[in-house]
Protein backbone atom coordinates (compact mmCIF):
# COMPACT_ATOMS: atom_id res chain seq x y z
CA UNK A 1 0.00 0.00 0.00
CA UNK A 2 1.86 3.12 -1.21
CA UNK A 3 1.82 6.52 0.50
CA UNK A 4 0.53 5.25 3.82
CA UNK A 5 2.12 5.39 7.27
CA UNK A 6 0.85 3.86 10.51
CA UNK A 7 2.15 5.13 13.84
CA UNK A 8 1.43 3.78 17.28
CA UNK A 9 0.97 5.78 20.44
CA UNK A 10 2.04 4.25 23.75
CA UNK A 11 -1.43 3.18 24.95
CA UNK A 12 -1.81 -0.08 22.97
CA UNK A 13 1.22 -1.01 20.87
CA UNK A 14 0.17 -4.66 20.59
CA UNK A 15 -3.06 -3.74 18.77
CA UNK A 16 -1.17 -1.28 16.54
CA UNK A 17 1.28 -4.02 15.57
CA UNK A 18 -1.54 -6.44 14.75
CA UNK A 19 -3.20 -3.82 12.54
CA UNK A 20 0.07 -3.14 10.73
CA UNK A 21 0.72 -6.87 10.27
CA UNK A 22 -2.73 -7.40 8.75
CA UNK A 23 -2.06 -4.58 6.29
CA UNK A 24 1.42 -5.90 5.46
CA UNK A 25 3.05 -2.72 6.75
CA UNK A 26 5.65 -1.81 9.33
CA UNK A 27 4.84 0.63 12.11
CA UNK A 28 6.34 4.07 11.57
CA UNK A 29 9.23 5.22 13.70
CA UNK A 30 8.20 7.41 16.59
CA UNK A 31 9.73 8.16 19.97
CA UNK A 32 7.53 9.27 22.85
CA UNK A 33 9.03 10.38 26.14
CA UNK A 34 8.47 12.70 29.07
CA UNK A 35 10.60 15.54 30.28
CA UNK A 36 11.43 15.70 33.98
CA UNK A 37 8.48 18.05 34.53
CA UNK A 38 6.18 15.37 32.96
CA UNK A 39 5.60 17.25 29.69
CA UNK A 40 5.06 14.85 26.78
CA UNK A 41 7.57 14.91 23.94
CA UNK A 42 7.00 13.19 20.58
CA UNK A 43 9.55 12.76 17.80
CA UNK A 44 8.37 11.39 14.44
CA UNK A 45 11.35 9.45 13.13
CA UNK A 46 10.63 9.44 9.38
CA UNK A 47 9.25 11.66 6.65
CA UNK A 48 5.46 11.92 6.36
CA UNK A 49 5.37 14.57 3.60
CA UNK A 50 2.48 13.79 1.25
CA UNK A 51 1.63 10.60 3.14
CA UNK A 52 -1.74 9.26 4.33
CA UNK A 53 -1.02 8.96 8.06
CA UNK A 54 -2.90 6.81 10.59
CA UNK A 55 -2.16 7.18 14.31
CA UNK A 56 -3.45 4.41 16.60
CA UNK A 57 -4.07 5.48 20.19
CA UNK A 58 -6.76 4.09 22.50
CA UNK A 59 -8.38 5.97 25.37
CA UNK A 60 -7.14 3.75 28.17
CA UNK A 61 -4.41 3.50 30.81
CA UNK A 62 -3.12 6.97 31.65
CA UNK A 63 -5.97 8.51 29.68
CA UNK A 64 -5.01 12.18 29.96
CA UNK A 65 -1.36 11.54 29.09
CA UNK A 66 -2.31 9.30 26.17
CA UNK A 67 -4.80 11.84 24.84
CA UNK A 68 -2.18 14.59 24.98
CA UNK A 69 0.31 12.30 23.26
CA UNK A 70 -2.21 11.66 20.47
CA UNK A 71 -2.85 15.38 20.00
CA UNK A 72 0.88 16.10 19.77
CA UNK A 73 1.42 13.25 17.29
CA UNK A 74 -1.42 14.52 15.09
CA UNK A 75 -0.03 18.04 15.14
CA UNK A 76 3.54 16.86 14.49
CA UNK A 77 2.41 14.96 11.37
CA UNK A 78 0.19 17.80 10.18
CA UNK A 79 2.89 20.46 10.32
CA UNK A 80 5.30 17.99 8.67
CA UNK A 81 3.06 18.19 5.54
CA UNK A 82 1.17 14.88 5.80
CA UNK A 83 -1.58 14.88 3.16
CA UNK A 84 -4.14 13.49 5.62
CA UNK A 85 -4.01 12.52 9.29
CA UNK A 86 -6.48 9.97 10.64
CA UNK A 87 -6.76 9.29 14.37
CA UNK A 88 -7.64 5.63 15.00
CA UNK A 89 -9.12 5.63 18.51
CA UNK A 90 -10.49 2.15 19.32
CA UNK A 91 -11.85 3.30 22.71
CA UNK A 92 -12.87 6.97 22.60
CA UNK A 93 -11.83 8.84 25.77
CA UNK A 94 -14.42 10.74 27.84
CA UNK A 95 -17.23 9.13 25.80
CA UNK A 96 -19.49 8.80 28.86
CA UNK A 97 -19.45 12.59 29.36
CA UNK A 98 -21.57 13.15 26.25
CA UNK A 99 -24.39 15.31 27.59
CA UNK A 100 -25.21 17.92 30.18
CA UNK A 101 -27.13 15.76 32.62
CA UNK A 102 -27.13 18.26 35.48
CA UNK A 103 -26.43 21.94 36.07
CA UNK A 104 -22.87 23.09 35.32
CA UNK A 105 -21.84 19.64 34.05
CA UNK A 106 -19.28 19.69 31.22
CA UNK A 107 -19.76 17.93 27.88
CA UNK A 108 -16.20 16.61 27.88
CA UNK A 109 -16.63 14.37 24.81
CA UNK A 110 -17.36 17.51 22.78
CA UNK A 111 -14.23 19.14 24.21
CA UNK A 112 -12.13 16.14 23.14
CA UNK A 113 -13.66 16.35 19.66
CA UNK A 114 -12.69 20.02 19.45
CA UNK A 115 -9.15 19.28 20.61
CA UNK A 116 -8.68 16.55 17.98
CA UNK A 117 -9.92 18.85 15.23
CA UNK A 118 -7.75 21.79 16.33
CA UNK A 119 -4.69 19.49 16.57
CA UNK A 120 -5.14 18.80 12.85
CA UNK A 121 -7.01 15.48 12.54
CA UNK A 122 -8.77 15.13 9.18
CA UNK A 123 -10.66 11.93 9.99
CA UNK A 124 -11.56 9.81 13.02
CA UNK A 125 -11.94 6.03 13.15
CA UNK A 126 -13.34 4.67 16.41
CA UNK A 127 -15.38 1.72 17.66
CA UNK A 128 -18.69 1.36 19.49
CA UNK A 129 -19.05 4.90 20.77
CA UNK A 130 -20.88 5.05 24.09
CA UNK A 131 -23.36 7.42 22.42
CA UNK A 132 -23.68 7.67 18.64
CA UNK A 133 -24.35 11.41 18.79
CA UNK A 134 -20.66 11.96 19.60
CA UNK A 135 -20.11 11.70 15.83
CA UNK A 136 -22.03 14.96 15.57
CA UNK A 137 -19.53 16.71 17.86
CA UNK A 138 -17.06 16.71 14.96
CA UNK A 139 -16.97 18.79 11.78
CA UNK A 140 -14.69 16.17 10.18
CA UNK A 141 -15.64 12.64 9.01
CA UNK A 142 -16.09 10.06 11.79
CA UNK A 143 -16.38 6.31 11.17
CA UNK A 144 -17.92 4.57 14.19
CA UNK A 145 -17.19 0.89 13.61
CA UNK A 146 -19.03 -1.92 15.38
CA UNK A 147 -17.57 -4.99 17.05
CA UNK A 148 -20.81 -6.80 16.22
CA UNK A 149 -19.40 -9.11 13.46
CA UNK A 150 -16.65 -10.34 15.78
CA UNK A 151 -19.11 -10.77 18.67
CA UNK A 152 -21.53 -12.81 16.53
CA UNK A 153 -18.67 -15.04 15.38
CA UNK A 154 -17.56 -15.64 18.99
CA UNK A 155 -21.08 -16.52 20.16
CA UNK A 156 -21.65 -19.02 17.35
CA UNK A 157 -18.27 -20.68 17.86
CA UNK A 158 -18.08 -20.76 21.66
CA UNK A 159 -21.63 -21.12 23.02
CA UNK A 160 -23.05 -24.45 21.90
CA UNK A 161 -26.58 -23.54 23.03
CA UNK A 162 -26.63 -20.12 21.38
CA UNK A 163 -29.89 -20.93 19.56
CA UNK A 164 -31.57 -21.20 22.97
CA UNK A 165 -30.20 -18.00 24.44
CA UNK A 166 -31.51 -14.56 25.32
CA UNK A 167 -29.48 -11.45 24.57
CA UNK A 168 -29.76 -9.10 27.54
CA UNK A 169 -29.00 -5.40 27.78
CA UNK A 170 -27.84 -4.52 31.32
CA UNK A 171 -29.51 -1.11 31.01
CA UNK A 172 -32.18 0.49 28.86
CA UNK A 173 -29.70 2.97 27.39
CA UNK A 174 -27.69 0.28 25.60
CA UNK A 175 -30.78 -1.46 24.21
CA UNK A 176 -31.57 0.63 21.20
CA UNK A 177 -29.09 -0.49 18.54
CA UNK A 178 -26.21 -2.70 19.52
CA UNK A 179 -27.96 -5.34 21.64
CA UNK A 180 -31.16 -5.57 19.62
CA UNK A 181 -29.13 -5.87 16.41
CA UNK A 182 -27.22 -8.87 17.80
CA UNK A 183 -30.48 -10.52 18.92
CA UNK A 184 -31.98 -9.96 15.45
CA UNK A 185 -28.92 -11.36 13.66
CA UNK A 186 -28.97 -14.49 15.85
CA UNK A 187 -32.77 -14.69 15.63
CA UNK A 188 -33.11 -15.07 19.40
CA UNK A 189 -35.07 -13.27 22.12
CA UNK A 190 -34.08 -10.00 23.71
CA UNK A 191 -34.44 -8.77 27.30
CA UNK A 192 -33.29 -5.74 29.23
CA UNK A 193 -32.61 -4.77 32.80
CA UNK A 194 -33.85 -1.44 34.08
CA UNK A 195 -31.55 -0.04 36.73
CA UNK A 196 -31.86 2.87 39.10
CA UNK A 197 -28.70 4.55 40.40
CA UNK A 198 -28.20 6.40 43.66
CA UNK A 199 -24.95 7.83 42.28
CA UNK A 200 -22.36 7.14 39.58
CA UNK A 201 -20.94 3.58 39.56
CA UNK A 202 -23.47 2.46 42.21
CA UNK A 203 -26.71 0.67 41.30
CA UNK A 204 -29.69 0.86 43.67
CA UNK A 205 -32.07 -1.76 42.24
CA UNK A 206 -32.72 -3.72 39.03
CA UNK A 207 -35.85 -4.92 37.22
CA UNK A 208 -35.67 -7.60 34.50
CA UNK A 209 -37.93 -7.04 31.47
CA UNK A 210 -38.10 -10.27 29.44
CA UNK A 211 -37.80 -14.05 29.91
CA UNK A 212 -34.55 -15.95 30.56
CA UNK A 213 -35.94 -19.03 32.32
CA UNK A 214 -34.09 -22.23 31.28
CA UNK A 215 -31.99 -20.30 28.76
CA UNK A 216 -28.42 -19.13 28.38
CA UNK A 217 -28.31 -15.39 29.12
CA UNK A 218 -25.76 -13.27 27.28
CA UNK A 219 -25.26 -9.79 28.70
CA UNK A 220 -24.07 -7.40 25.99
CA UNK A 221 -22.88 -3.83 26.55
CA UNK A 222 -20.46 -1.35 24.99
CA UNK A 223 -18.28 -1.03 28.09
CA UNK A 224 -17.80 -2.07 31.70
CA UNK A 225 -15.80 -0.05 34.21
CA UNK A 226 -16.14 -1.10 37.86
CA UNK A 227 -18.46 -3.97 36.78
CA UNK A 228 -21.04 -3.35 39.52
CA UNK A 229 -23.84 -3.24 36.93
CA UNK A 230 -23.02 -6.45 35.07
CA UNK A 231 -22.32 -8.42 38.26
CA UNK A 232 -25.66 -7.36 39.77
CA UNK A 233 -27.29 -8.16 36.43
CA UNK A 234 -25.76 -11.65 36.39
CA UNK A 235 -27.21 -12.39 39.85
CA UNK A 236 -30.59 -11.10 38.69
CA UNK A 237 -30.52 -13.36 35.61
CA UNK A 238 -29.61 -16.46 37.60
CA UNK A 239 -32.38 -15.78 40.10
CA UNK A 240 -34.76 -15.42 37.13
CA UNK A 241 -33.92 -18.95 35.98
CA UNK A 242 -31.06 -18.55 33.50
CA UNK A 243 -28.94 -21.70 33.14
CA UNK A 244 -25.68 -19.88 32.41
CA UNK A 245 -24.62 -16.26 32.15
CA UNK A 246 -22.03 -14.73 29.82
CA UNK A 247 -21.02 -11.09 29.46
CA UNK A 248 -19.76 -9.66 26.17
CA UNK A 249 -18.34 -6.13 26.21
CA UNK A 250 -16.61 -4.05 23.57
CA UNK A 251 -14.48 -2.00 25.98
CA UNK A 252 -13.30 -3.75 29.14
CA UNK A 253 -12.06 -0.87 31.29
CA UNK A 254 -12.06 -2.92 34.53
CA UNK A 255 -10.98 -0.28 37.02
CA UNK A 256 -11.15 -0.32 40.82
CA UNK A 257 -12.81 -3.46 42.23
CA UNK A 258 -13.81 -4.83 38.79
CA UNK A 259 -11.54 -7.88 38.73
CA UNK A 260 -12.47 -9.07 42.23
CA UNK A 261 -16.16 -8.58 41.39
CA UNK A 262 -15.84 -10.68 38.22
CA UNK A 263 -13.94 -13.41 40.08
CA UNK A 264 -16.73 -13.59 42.67
CA UNK A 265 -19.57 -13.37 40.14
CA UNK A 266 -21.43 -16.24 38.48
CA UNK A 267 -20.20 -15.66 34.91
CA UNK A 268 -19.15 -18.54 32.69
CA UNK A 269 -16.97 -16.02 30.84
CA UNK A 270 -16.55 -12.27 30.48
CA UNK A 271 -15.62 -11.60 26.86
CA UNK A 272 -14.09 -8.30 25.77
CA UNK A 273 -12.43 -7.01 22.62
CA UNK A 274 -8.84 -5.82 22.57
CA UNK A 275 -9.64 -2.12 22.11
CA UNK A 276 -7.99 -1.92 25.56
CA UNK A 277 -4.98 -4.07 26.62
CA UNK A 278 -6.16 -6.99 28.77
CA UNK A 279 -3.03 -9.08 29.36
CA UNK A 280 -2.56 -7.94 32.97
CA UNK A 281 -6.27 -8.35 33.78
CA UNK A 282 -6.31 -11.87 32.32
CA UNK A 283 -3.48 -12.90 34.64
CA UNK A 284 -5.68 -12.02 37.62
CA UNK A 285 -8.98 -13.32 36.27
CA UNK A 286 -9.38 -16.58 34.35
CA UNK A 287 -12.94 -15.70 33.28
CA UNK A 288 -11.80 -12.90 30.96
CA UNK A 289 -11.51 -13.86 27.28
CA UNK A 290 -10.50 -11.54 24.43
CA UNK A 291 -11.81 -11.10 20.88
CA UNK A 292 -9.30 -9.63 18.43
CA UNK A 293 -10.81 -6.74 16.44
CA UNK A 294 -7.60 -5.73 14.64
CA UNK A 295 -9.02 -7.04 11.35
CA UNK A 296 -12.00 -4.66 11.54
CA UNK A 297 -9.74 -1.66 12.17
CA UNK A 298 -7.23 -2.78 9.52
CA UNK A 299 -9.98 -3.19 6.93
CA UNK A 300 -11.35 0.27 7.80
CA UNK A 301 -7.88 1.76 7.27
CA UNK A 302 -7.44 -0.08 3.97
CA UNK A 303 -10.83 1.04 2.67
CA UNK A 304 -10.30 4.62 3.82
CA UNK A 305 -6.89 4.75 2.13
CA UNK A 306 -8.34 3.36 -1.11
CA UNK A 307 -11.33 5.72 -1.04
CA UNK A 308 -13.83 2.90 -0.53
CA UNK A 309 -16.93 2.82 1.64
CA UNK A 310 -16.41 1.83 5.27
CA UNK A 311 -20.13 1.27 5.90
CA UNK A 312 -19.68 -2.26 4.50
CA UNK A 313 -17.90 -3.11 7.76
CA UNK A 314 -21.04 -2.48 9.79
CA UNK A 315 -22.30 -5.96 8.93
CA UNK A 316 -19.51 -7.78 7.07
CA UNK A 317 -15.85 -8.25 7.77
CA UNK A 318 -13.39 -11.04 6.94
CA UNK A 319 -12.25 -12.34 10.35
Amino acid sequence: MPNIKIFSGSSHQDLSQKIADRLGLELGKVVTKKFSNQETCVEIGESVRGEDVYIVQSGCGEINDNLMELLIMINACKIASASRVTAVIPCFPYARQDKKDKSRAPISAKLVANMLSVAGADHIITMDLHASQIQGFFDIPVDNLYAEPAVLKWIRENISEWRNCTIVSPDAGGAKRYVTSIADRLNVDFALIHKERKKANEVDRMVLVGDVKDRVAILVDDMADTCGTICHAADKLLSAGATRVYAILTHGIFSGPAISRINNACFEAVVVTNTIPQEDKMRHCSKIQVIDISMILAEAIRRTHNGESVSYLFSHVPL
Side-chain angles (χ1 to χ4, degrees):
M1 297 174 69
N3 303 111
I4 181 172
K5 300 276 189 184
I6 298 181
F7 294 97
S8 173
S10 11
S11 67
H12 201 344
Q13 294 183 342
D14 178 64
L15 178 60
S16 303
Q17 187 63 60
K18 286 179 178 177
I19 293 170
D21 290 344
R22 289 185 180 276
L23 292 170
L25 300 170
E26 291 187 3
L27 286 175
K29 298 174 183 175
V30 60
V31 176
T32 59
K33 57 187 179 183
K34 287 185 181 296
F35 293 123
S36 60
N37 67 348
Q38 297 304 302
E39 284 183 1
T40 298
C41 176
V42 173
E43 297 175 4
I44 305 296
E46 55 192 85
S47 174
V48 295
R49 183 177 295 274
E51 300 280 358
D52 189 12
V53 173
Y54 295 83
I55 301 171
V56 183
Q57 181 83 307
S58 201
C60 57
E62 299 290 335
I63 292 178
N64 295 328
D65 286 349
N66 289 334
L67 175 58
M68 194 66 204
E69 182 182 282
L70 173 61
L71 296 171
I72 294 172
M73 290 178 73
I74 291 169
N75 190 250
C77 291
K78 197 66 177 177
I79 63 177
S81 301
S83 65
R84 177 174 62 180
V85 179
T86 299
V88 182
I89 312 173
C91 180
F92 194 86
Y94 290 89
R96 285 176 287 182
Q97 299 183 45
D98 62 320
K99 58 185 177 292
K100 190 171 182 177
D101 54 358
K102 54 187 174 184
S103 298
R104 298 173 297 283
I107 307 178
S108 302
K110 169 63 174 171
L111 176 60
V112 172
N114 290 342
M115 292 164 69
L116 289 164
S117 298
V118 170
D122 300 298
H123 179 209
I124 305 293
I125 295 175
T126 187
M127 177 165 279
D128 280 334
L129 285 169
H130 188 63
S132 294
Q133 69 263 24
I134 292 174
Q135 295 170 87
F137 293 170
F138 291 89
D139 292 323
I140 57 176
V142 177
D143 286 314
N144 179 28
L145 307 177
Y146 300 133
E148 180 182 317
V151 168
L152 290 168
K153 183 172 185 285
W154 190 93
I155 291 173
R156 289 180 175 127
E157 291 180 354
N158 293 276
I159 302 178
S160 58
E161 303 168 42
W162 66 266
R163 289 179 177 84
N164 184 39
C165 76
T166 299
I167 305 297
V168 184
S169 172
D171 61 70
K176 191 168 184 180
R177 195 217 66 84
Y178 186 38
V179 184
T180 52
S181 177
I182 289 175
D184 289 343
R185 294 283 296 278
L186 293 173
N187 194 28
V188 297
D189 287 342
F190 162 76
L192 66 85
I193 292 176
H194 173 67
K195 64 185 179 184
E196 296 178 356
R197 292 185 185 272
K198 286 182 177 178
K199 57 184 178 181
N201 290 333
E202 186 175 317
V203 177
D204 184 18
R205 71 186 190 97
M206 291 183 156
V207 178
L208 174 65
V209 181
D211 182 24
V212 296
K213 186 174 176 58
D214 298 325
R215 297 183 185 181
V216 174
I218 305 176
L219 281 162
V220 178
D221 206 355
D222 65 315
M223 67 170 61
D225 188 355
T226 58
C227 292
T229 297
I230 63 167
C231 290
H232 278 98
D235 291 338
K236 186 73 177 178
L237 292 169
L238 271 189
S239 65
T243 57
R244 286 182 293 160
V245 181
Y246 293 83
I248 301 182
L249 316 157
T250 302
H251 310 297
I253 300 170
F254 299 150
S255 67
I259 296 301
S260 63
R261 284 176 173 173
I262 293 172
N263 281 328
N264 295 326
C266 55
F267 293 111
E268 292 289 320
V270 175
V271 184
V272 296
T273 72
N274 59 341
T275 58
I276 295 173
Q278 300 294 343
E279 290 76 13
D280 183 59
K281 311 283 175 51
M282 292 173 72
R283 281 193 288 270
H284 295 91
C285 181
S286 60
K287 294 180 182 180
I288 296 176
Q289 299 183 32
V290 174
I291 300 172
D292 181 21
I293 46 81
S294 61
M295 174 53 84
I296 298 175
L297 295 169
E299 185 67 9
I301 290 172
R302 187 190 68 79
R303 286 178 167 271
T304 300
H305 179 66
N306 293 335
E308 301 172 12
S309 171
V310 177
S311 61
Y312 177 83
L313 296 175
F314 294 166
S315 56
H316 304 82
V317 68
L319 294 168

